[in-house]
Amino acid sequence: MADGTVPVTAGARRRLALVGDCADCHGLCCVALPFAASADFARSKPAGTPCGHLGADSGCGIHARLRESGYAGCAVFDCFGAGQRVSQVTFGGRDWRGDPELARRMFAVFPVQRQLHELLWYLTVARSLPAAAPFADRLDPALAETERLVDADADELLALDVPAHRDGVNALLLAVSERARAGLPAARRYRRGADLVGARLRRADLRGANLRGALLLAAELGGADLRGADLIGADLRAADLRGARLDGALFVTQAQLNAARGDGATTVPEGLTRPAHWAG
């Protein structure tokens, strides 16, 4: 532009709107969702019940020490911007406190919006890939329809067949993934949902590997080359990514990075942030 300002592309605008902003949310993830006592949560909580650490200002009382307090699951969770969308757009800034019926509807809409925002994230990433060009005539309508849905009212969202919409999007994402990975060294390695818990894959050449939905809990991936690998839905909790190459990996989310262990030598995909706890 003439004034030197870099124009914001449509994809970048989508990404900016797909990042959680707790300041504009009414603490929906801390109320609407359930969690069970485990390595990720110090205590159990049923859906629709506020977490004991949620303040009157919708802030978390232990946000700065979630991991140390036994709430690593909260440190990892990402709503993809659904929280502020439900709070500020779907329900026009109204707070669920003091209105049981409003609370019930907000808590029911939130998981739907969260899934739509996640799909919108994946579609945006897919559309930015060179391999997506042959699928533009299908990707663009899918993006437009998902964007329309996130702006829909509560009644339409609650009536939405989310699994059906997700299935259609997943078919597109898989087609783009297969084209992007074709010809890479590990393109034929593994299948969706592969059980790789604790697998020893240090310095492995995993370029183009199909790791969709793979169980990579505590896997040793230090120094591994994951460029072009499809990691959509992969469970990377406690996975060792120190020195691994993730730049160019497909469909990696911030939540996956937050769940893993890495260091200053770990490369991360464009648009994502190196987690603060990796420094340790």
Side-chain angles (χ1 to χ4, degrees), residues 51-213:
C51 171
H53 299 291
L54 181 66
D57 61 350
S58 296
C60 174
I62 58 169
H63 188 269
R65 56 183 193 283
L66 283 169
R67 294 178 184 276
E68 299 87 338
S69 301
Y71 287 87
C74 295
V76 169
F77 180 76
D78 185 358
C79 74
F80 293 94
Q84 67 258 28
R85 173 84 63 168
V86 173
S87 297
Q88 303 302 328
V89 180
T90 312
F91 289 93
R94 288 177 291 167
D95 197 330
W96 52 268
R97 294 173 175 83
D99 188 335
E101 177 56 22
L102 175 64
R104 184 190 66 78
R105 286 172 62 79
M106 289 183 76
F107 299 162
V109 166
F110 176 63
V112 176
Q113 277 285 29
R114 198 264 178 194
Q115 291 188 68
L116 290 174
H117 276 237
E118 182 181 18
L119 292 176
L120 197 53
W121 166 272
Y122 288 134
L123 284 167
T124 301
V125 172
R127 191 64 182 88
S128 70
L129 299 173
F135 308 101
D137 61 337
R138 296 163 59 196
L139 277 170
D140 289 345
L143 260 171
E145 174 61 8
T146 307
E147 288 181 323
R148 185 194 71 78
L149 286 171
V150 299
D151 283 330
D153 61 25
D155 289 334
E156 182 174 0
L157 289 167
L158 291 174
L160 176 66
D161 187 343
V162 179
H165 185 70
R166 179 179 285 276
D167 286 346
V169 170
N170 279 338
L172 274 173
L173 298 178
L174 179 58
V176 174
S177 169
E178 289 177 341
R179 185 175 181 85
R181 294 183 295 106
L184 292 177
R188 296 185 180 276
R189 289 187 65 183
Y190 307 116
R191 292 185 179 182
R192 182 178 180 86
D195 187 348
L196 297 170
V197 175
R200 297 180 178 179
L201 296 167
R202 289 189 180 279
R203 294 182 292 279
D205 186 351
L206 297 173
R207 286 175 293 165
N210 180 6
L211 296 171
R212 295 168 66 88

Side-chain angles (χ1 to χ4, degrees), residues 182-257:
L184 292 177
R188 296 185 180 276
R189 289 187 65 183
Y190 307 116
R191 292 185 179 182
R192 182 178 180 86
D195 187 348
L196 297 170
V197 175
R200 297 180 178 179
L201 296 167
R202 289 189 180 279
R203 294 182 292 279
D205 186 351
L206 297 173
R207 286 175 293 165
N210 180 6
L211 296 171
R212 295 168 66 88
L215 301 177
L216 287 160
L217 286 82
E220 298 178 11
L221 291 161
D225 192 341
L226 290 153
R227 288 175 294 173
D230 187 341
L231 287 162
I232 194 168
D235 192 337
L236 292 172
R237 283 179 293 171
D240 183 357
L241 295 174
R242 290 174 293 180
R245 292 207 62 172
L246 284 166
D247 53 301
L250 305 179
F251 305 122
V252 181
T253 67
Q254 189 64 51
Q256 287 174 308
L257 296 185

